[in-house]
Amino acid sequence: MQTILGANGQIATELARTLHQHHTEQLRLVSRNPCKVNEDDTLMAGDMLDAGQTTQAVKGSRIVYFTAGLPPDSKLWEEQFPVMLRNALRACRAAGASFAYFDNTYMYPQNSQIQTEETRFAPVGRKGRVRAAMATMVLQEMGRGDIPVLIARAPEFYGPGKTQSFTNALIIDRLKADKRPLVPVRDDTRRTLIWTPDASRALATLGNTPGAFGQTWHLPCCDDRPTYKTFVTMTSRLFGRPPSYSVIGKLPLIIAGIFSKKVREIRELLPRYEQDNLFDSSKFKRHFPEFSVTTYKEGLELIWKE
């Protein structure tokens, strides 16, 4: 049995599809209100803030994937994320299950250095500090050695369906709605974006590779690293729109945060868009050379055909 904790999100949905297709038909999906992805999925409603419910959700599992998400609310992250993760790790220890932790890059320095699996943690803002503490908790569990543990880390998403990211919300979704795309902060910095189905396929690959445990992995991305100017131009042409857009400067976003809690919650991420984002996934590509990474053009064409 393989179990996904936090089973309703974009990554979890693609993960369930990939696991069922390539690795196992014994799949348990756990969240407060889980929905089937595959016809024979086992559903279990559970609150990961409750240790007992989490233990029951994990019981009998061979591999557990932690893909839980929360709204972008710093207070909520501080109060709930560490509890959810701690409960999941304890449950896996009790079940003797392997643990695959899906992570982001919020704990990394917000500068233009190349990000590798060895990059030191230097979080900016409350959400960054939460993610750094969570990653540290997983690394400590990995070092304890009681159960097999791995970290699978991804940069910002772009993808099909209801993918939640700046890039989807400000560029792709607006073009779909025949609106002018918006670019956060600068249009000339290079971005590393991960195609969400690639992230899920790679997570499934790692979870089902015994030798992958005991390590941190950067999930595979296309190495083209376009600027937003290039990305918007490419997307606009594929969508049959003129390649025009507006750049939202840092100051207007800071001012907007005075009036909008939602904008305030993303302000700590703005330095990420002032610098090149150079996320390196060469380790994964060396170990899994047969894994096909989706190019930006291929991904955008798939979105256009939805």
Side-chain angles (χ1 to χ4, degrees), residues 11 66-67 100-104 131 150 152-154 157 199 203 219:
I11 294 298
F66 186 97
T67 62
Y101 176 63
F102 182 75
D103 200 6
N104 65 21
R131 296 304 304 206
L150 68 82
R153 188 166 288 142
F157 302 157
L203 179 57
L219 297 176

Side-chain angles (χ1 to χ4, degrees), residues 13 30 35 44 64 117 141 146 168 172 187 234 253 281 288 306:
T13 299
V30 181
C35 300
M44 180 175 289
V64 173
E117 289 84 353
E141 187 71 41
D146 293 339
N168 269 71
I172 295 170
D187 67 349
M234 184 191 318
L253 285 168
S281 54
F288 303 97
E306 287 182 319

Side-chain angles (χ1 to χ4, degrees), residues 20-187:
H20 187 271
Q21 184 176 355
H22 297 290
H23 300 287
T24 181
E25 293 183 0
Q26 291 185 305
L27 198 56
R28 181 185 296 154
L29 308 185
V30 181
S31 68
R32 289 184 177 178
N33 298 288
C35 300
K36 284 191 176 185
V37 176
N38 312 288
E39 187 175 345
D40 50 358
D41 290 341
T42 299
L43 302 184
M44 180 175 289
D47 183 354
M48 292 172 61
L49 293 170
D50 185 293
Q53 290 185 37
T54 307
T55 297
Q56 283 301 116
V58 167
K59 191 175 181 180
S61 302
R62 185 172 63 87
I63 304 169
V64 173
Y65 303 86
F66 186 97
T67 62
L70 287 172
D73 181 308
S74 295
K75 188 171 184 292
L76 203 63
W77 282 36
E78 290 165 346
E79 292 175 349
Q80 296 190 8
F81 254 149
V83 176
M84 295 161 66
L85 179 59
R86 191 175 301 113
N87 286 342
L89 287 169
R90 287 174 177 169
C92 287
R93 227 176 291 139
S98 300
F99 186 77
Y101 176 63
F102 182 75
D103 200 6
N104 65 21
T105 61
Y106 282 21
M107 74 293 295
Y108 284 161
Q110 295 187 358
N111 58 31
S112 59
Q113 75 179 68
I114 295 176
Q115 298 170 349
T116 71
E117 289 84 353
E118 286 74 43
T119 294
R120 66 183 180 87
F121 294 174
V124 174
R126 293 168 68 183
K127 285 185 282 295
R129 288 191 287 274
V130 170
R131 296 304 304 206
M134 292 171 71
T136 299
M137 192 189 307
V138 177
L139 287 170
Q140 289 171 344
E141 187 71 41
M142 189 186 297
R144 190 178 292 115
D146 293 339
I147 55 172
V149 174
L150 68 82
I151 295 174
R153 188 166 288 142
E156 185 183 332
F157 302 157
Y158 83 108
K162 297 180 180 179
T163 296
Q164 295 182 357
S165 72
F166 270 17
T167 300
N168 269 71
L170 298 181
I171 298 173
I172 295 170
D173 294 346
R174 289 183 65 86
L175 279 168
K176 283 182 176 180
D178 204 21
K179 296 179 180 179
R180 186 181 181 88
L182 303 174
V183 170
V185 185
R186 291 177 60 168
D187 67 349

Side-chain angles (χ1 to χ4, degrees), residues 265-283:
E265 288 293 345
I266 64 172
R267 283 189 302 186
E268 69 188 61
L269 306 179
L270 295 182
R272 294 156 59 97
Y273 296 91
E274 293 181 297
Q275 311 283 343
D276 290 339
N277 177 241
L278 307 178
F279 179 89
D280 178 81
S281 54
S282 58
K283 174 183 174 180

Side-chain angles (χ1 to χ4, degrees), residues 221-241:
C221 305
C222 178
D223 288 331
D224 288 349
R225 300 189 181 110
T227 63
Y228 265 136
K229 180 178 181 179
T230 300
F231 187 89
V232 174
T233 299
M234 184 191 318
T235 310
S236 298
R237 287 175 177 164
L238 283 169
F239 285 26
R241 305 281 193 274

